[in-house]
Amino acid sequence: MVMKSVLLIIIWTGFFLSSLFGQQYEVTVDSAFKARFDQVEGGWLCADASYSLHLPDGRTLWLYGDTFIGEKDYQGGILPGYHFIRNSAIVDQGGTLQTLYSGTPSSPKAFIPTGDSTWYWPEHGMVENDTIKLFMGRFKSVDRGTPGFNFGFVGIDVVWLSPENFGVIGSRHLGYTDSSGVRYGNQVLRHDGYAYIYGRKDENIEGVTFKMPHVARVEGNLSNPWQFYNGNEWVNDPAKSQRISDRAVTEQYAVFKRDKRFYLLTHEAFLGKNIYLVPGNAPEGRFNNLQQQVIYTTPETYNTYNTWIHPQFTDDGEYLLSYNVNGGFSDIVDNTNLYRPRFLRLDFTPDTATTLDKPSSGLEASVFPNPASAVVNIRVEEDHRCVAALYDNNGRLVAREKFTGSTSILVSGYPAGVYHLRLRADKQMHRQNIIIR
């Protein structure tokens, strides 16, 4: 969805460290993952939505909404002759990315067309019986008098794709949305033999319409009868579904499991800047908004929205998150970076000022020179894949590097003092103090 509006400027400190009832979180920017979308084969330039579906063969199918197809100039703008389509996809095979759409290169069309004047924007999906099954939201043009928002929701369809060539092999309308008002499909979570399908429903709360989270589940095939959570138990009547949290969500939100807990992840409603994490004890919650935590505040001056999680890209225990950025149509044409997803890393086990003095646990490392004034060199044995994090004496993260075998951290611009270095490789740790002159 391309919009035209500008929000409040937020100053970004580079990382976000917070705690929730004793649980620590650290969120950092993953610029390297964002950069993998700089060279997408087939003409994909920028888009929003940023759903991902992990396929059984290890590939990832990225799903996008409104998309620009064409070529960039050397400054990142879009060259004349570009095309604008309502949805697209990217096949990601080990970092090699290929654009998917229908039509031809000279006249590309939506990856999944509707066949009439309506269009699809993607939701999430699942792979079942060697078939990709995607939830797709169908929309139509509606004159609301607000540029960027002149559309109306029609319904949810389930579209079946071949995993070999990603061609459409069938579809069906999802009647459960019609009978309940819940737009199902923004997340599918498998747990204990069930597929949990999350959705959101518009609710009027004190005169304001919010999107509230709901969930259904199905055992076995997606075509089997669904059950719906009514706040106390699972029932067969979709109209009796009740919200699973009092935290309002956006069109695109996620639920994921870590250890024995479940977490609801959502952007702030109404194009806000905060990203929330809300804990729960089961797939159906309840996700207690009294325990919610702001884990990150987006720094962009343009609209940001629709945070999501991509568990298949978890690295050293750090979850990959994304959110959308939207700079408005004319600005995007001048700078595709204004309509490209941003990526974050969520770490549940960060060090803090109170834990940095704990002893190392099995990771052998050579760190030199110490004291240092220009650069700190780091080498680890056996070519471990490591994350190096450098904190100042107040526990603030000042540098972070991912590396294999060795790396160097430039420290010439840091104030003199005692810093704390943490190296992590899987469950092994190395900690030591660094003096910077």
Side-chain angles (χ1 to χ4, degrees), residues 112-126:
I112 302 179
T114 61
D116 55 28
S117 61
T118 64
W119 67 87
Y120 282 136
W121 280 333
E123 307 265 339
H124 195 215
M126 59 193 294

Side-chain angles (χ1 to χ4, degrees), residues 227-368:
Q227 294 180 314
F228 307 87
Y229 195 66
N230 70 358
N232 295 301
E233 60 183 349
W234 294 96
V235 297
N236 296 324
D237 185 354
K240 293 183 178 180
S241 176
Q242 295 293 319
R243 65 176 101 146
I244 57 175
S245 176
D246 291 329
R247 157 48 53 191
V249 296
T250 53
E251 290 283 0
Q252 188 172 339
Y253 73 93
V255 174
F256 66 98
K257 184 176 185 290
R258 179 185 181 273
D259 295 335
K260 296 182 179 180
R261 301 210 76 182
F262 294 82
Y263 294 88
L264 185 152
L265 176 75
T266 184
H267 218 90
E268 186 177 0
F270 308 118
L271 300 175
K273 310 297 278 187
N274 292 325
I275 296 175
Y276 290 90
L277 195 63
V278 191
N281 293 320
E284 65 273 18
R286 185 171 184 87
F287 296 96
N288 189 346
N289 68 312
L290 296 178
Q291 298 180 2
Q292 69 186 0
Q293 180 74 26
V294 175
I295 61 170
Y296 189 73
T297 300
T298 59
E300 290 79 11
T301 59
Y302 294 96
N303 291 317
T304 60
Y305 53 104
N306 287 357
T307 302
W308 216 67
I309 190 169
H310 311 277
Q312 69 271 36
F313 293 104
T314 300
D315 186 8
D316 290 324
E318 298 176 336
Y319 293 85
L320 182 70
L321 315 182
S322 66
Y323 64 91
N324 296 323
V325 176
N326 198 320
F329 201 100
S330 60
D331 291 336
I332 292 168
V333 172
D334 292 333
N335 183 0
T336 56
N337 191 52
L338 300 181
Y339 194 48
R340 298 272 297 278
R342 304 301 195 258
F343 292 95
L344 307 171
R345 288 289 177 180
L346 169 62
D347 184 359
F348 277 85
T349 58
D351 284 321
T352 66
T354 60
T355 64
L356 287 168
D357 58 352
K358 290 184 178 180
S360 298
S361 56
L363 182 62
E364 297 293 332
S366 175
V367 180
F368 62 95

Side-chain angles (χ1 to χ4, degrees), residues 154-228:
V154 176
I156 298 290
D157 294 342
V158 180
V159 179
W160 308 326
L161 305 181
S162 164
E164 283 77 29
N165 59 15
F166 301 103
V168 176
I169 57 178
S171 67
R172 69 177 179 88
H173 184 67
L174 187 67
Y176 292 131
T177 290
D178 301 337
S179 56
S180 67
V182 180
R183 301 184 189 182
Y184 287 107
N186 64 264
Q187 167 85 62
V188 178
L189 176 68
R190 291 186 180 274
H191 177 68
D192 283 351
Y194 288 92
Y196 290 82
I197 302 109
Y198 293 88
R200 62 276 182 206
K201 181 178 181 179
D202 288 345
E203 295 188 26
N204 187 294
I205 301 174
E206 297 182 355
V208 179
T209 300
F210 292 92
K211 298 185 185 304
M212 306 305 296
H214 288 242
V215 66
R217 71 179 186 181
V218 60
E219 188 175 18
N221 292 332
L222 191 62
S223 58
N224 289 342
W226 289 17
Q227 294 180 314
F228 307 87

